[in-house]
Amino acid sequence: MTLDPEQLGRSKSDLAEILRELRKRAGLTGDRLARRCAMSQSKVSKIETGKVTPTLVDVERILTALEAPRELVAEVTALARIANTQWQDKRSSWRRGLEKRQAELAYLENTSSDMRYFLPAMVTGLLATPEYIKASLDNSPGDTSRTVTKKLERQAVLYDTKKSFTFLLTEQAVMWAIVPRPAMVIQVERLASLSRLPNVRLGVLPNGTSPARGPMNTFTTYDDRLATVETFAGRLVFQDPRDVIQHLAIFAAYERIALFGDEARAFLAGCVRSIIHDL
């Protein structure tokens, strides 16, 4: 399915309008439809007014209750999937201010209990040293000092033992040298140190590991309710459970072949020795 950013913006209102019109064509009241698909009448009303975005499962239940033809089911469920996807382009983030993005991430972290980070290219901000964070923002416009501060403040969440974090890093992500080599030594040693936190699992995928599929994108899952995928131009936010489950399954496949615990720390120690050798 091709996702047009403009379509992403229109899809929620379009979906609400289509579902409302289909109910009326079927000659059903909102209350009768709610009973047919085992939903509350207030939820049906909120879906039809666009106040609530239905999941694919919700939409399928409604369409089944309405006895919609197969071709219409395919069209409306495709629209529902788009409605459960958000596009956030980088230019808009820059215009709003990068620190606002940090506030959004802090909210997601504070309202989630199980977070998983797939990192094929670089170290993420939660694991990064101040120097690494500054270097990662070199291509961002304007004064990034407040963003650096916000990123560092967010790292406190790692010490909340009510939450669990799993990070998977490829060897490239560990060794991507965006800071001078002495600073890279400190960064890699920080990874090893954080891997000892009781609620943090840090896995490494060395070069030569043979996964079933290539590590294409950085992505994060927040519990089983949301997944974000990073691209050069921006990020996609998936809220439909099926999309989130798919990302969790991809994560689990890599998790099964990653190094953890003492094996991961031994690998990281070898990375440090390699960096020092090249100084």
Side-chain angles (χ1 to χ4, degrees):
M1 179 179 63
T2 300
L3 294 176
D4 177 352
E6 291 186 8
Q7 193 178 15
L8 292 176
R10 296 193 309 266
S11 58
K12 291 186 181 182
S13 59
D14 289 348
L15 180 61
E17 183 179 346
I18 288 172
L19 292 175
R20 184 171 62 251
E21 182 61 28
L22 288 175
R23 174 183 59 76
K24 290 179 178 179
R25 284 186 200 174
L28 295 177
T29 64
D31 186 53
R32 284 185 64 194
L33 175 61
R35 288 199 298 270
R36 281 194 180 188
C37 57
M39 285 185 190
S40 68
Q41 192 278 329
S42 63
K43 181 173 182 178
V44 169
S45 176
K46 288 176 182 177
I47 288 172
E48 291 188 355
T49 56
K51 292 179 180 178
V52 168
T53 302
T55 66
L56 253 66
V57 173
D58 291 333
V59 171
E60 287 173 354
R61 287 163 65 186
I62 290 171
L63 294 175
T64 299
L66 294 173
E67 298 180 348
R70 183 179 300 177
E71 62 274 12
L72 187 58
V73 169
E75 180 182 339
V76 178
T77 53
L79 184 61
R81 190 154 196 171
I82 296 170
N84 279 276
T85 305
Q86 299 175 32
W87 168 252
Q88 301 173 349
D89 68 273
K90 275 214 165 66
R91 289 187 296 275
S92 294
S93 293
W94 290 340
R95 285 195 298 270
R96 290 189 305 122
L98 293 176
E99 60 272 18
K100 290 184 179 178
R101 172 61 182 162
Q102 296 307 305
E104 292 169 357
L105 289 171
Y107 173 79
L108 286 173
E109 291 153 2
N110 289 329
T111 57
S112 303
S113 57
D114 183 14
M115 286 154 276
R116 298 163 192 253
Y117 301 77
F118 183 67
L119 306 167
M122 291 177 62
V123 172
T124 190
L126 288 182
L127 303 175
T129 63
E131 190 167 354
Y132 193 101
I133 290 173
K134 290 176 185 175
S136 71
L137 294 170
D138 275 351
N139 293 320
S140 302
D143 181 6
T144 59
S145 57
R146 290 177 62 183
T147 305
V148 172
T149 300
K150 292 294 183 183
K151 279 179 172 279
L152 292 172
E153 288 174 353
R154 281 177 44 225
Q155 293 178 354
V157 76
L158 292 174
Y159 301 91
D160 182 349
T161 54
K162 295 178 182 177
K163 302 179 183 295
S164 65
F165 300 85
T166 306
F167 299 92
L168 290 181
L169 298 92
T170 64
E171 183 173 342
Q172 167 167 317
V174 173
M175 296 292 284
W176 190 252
I178 66 169
V179 291
R181 290 187 178 277
M184 279 301 297
V185 170
I186 297 171
Q187 174 59 69
V188 178
E189 288 178 339
R190 174 172 168 76
L191 295 178
S193 176
L194 290 173
S195 75
R196 296 184 182 278
L197 291 176
N199 59 327
V200 172
R201 295 183 71 237
L202 191 143
V204 180
L205 295 155
N207 291 341
T209 303
S210 300
R213 59 198 304 173
M216 296 178 65
N217 295 98
T218 295
F219 68 84
T220 305
T221 63
Y222 298 90
D223 298 324
D224 58 357
R225 63 190 174 95
L226 189 144
T228 64
V229 178
E230 301 288 335
T231 73
F232 278 112
R235 65 187 60 85
L236 287 162
V237 181
F238 295 99
Q239 298 179 78
D240 189 274
R242 297 185 189 187
D243 293 320
V244 178
I245 288 170
Q246 183 178 14
H247 282 87
L248 287 170
I250 293 169
F251 192 94
Y254 281 106
E255 191 174 9
R256 286 192 289 270
I257 58 176
L259 304 178
F260 285 95
D262 290 339
E263 285 185 319
R265 286 186 284 274
F267 179 85
L268 293 171
C271 292
V272 168
R273 288 193 295 273
S274 176
I275 295 168
I276 292 173
H277 180 268
D278 293 335
L279 283 174

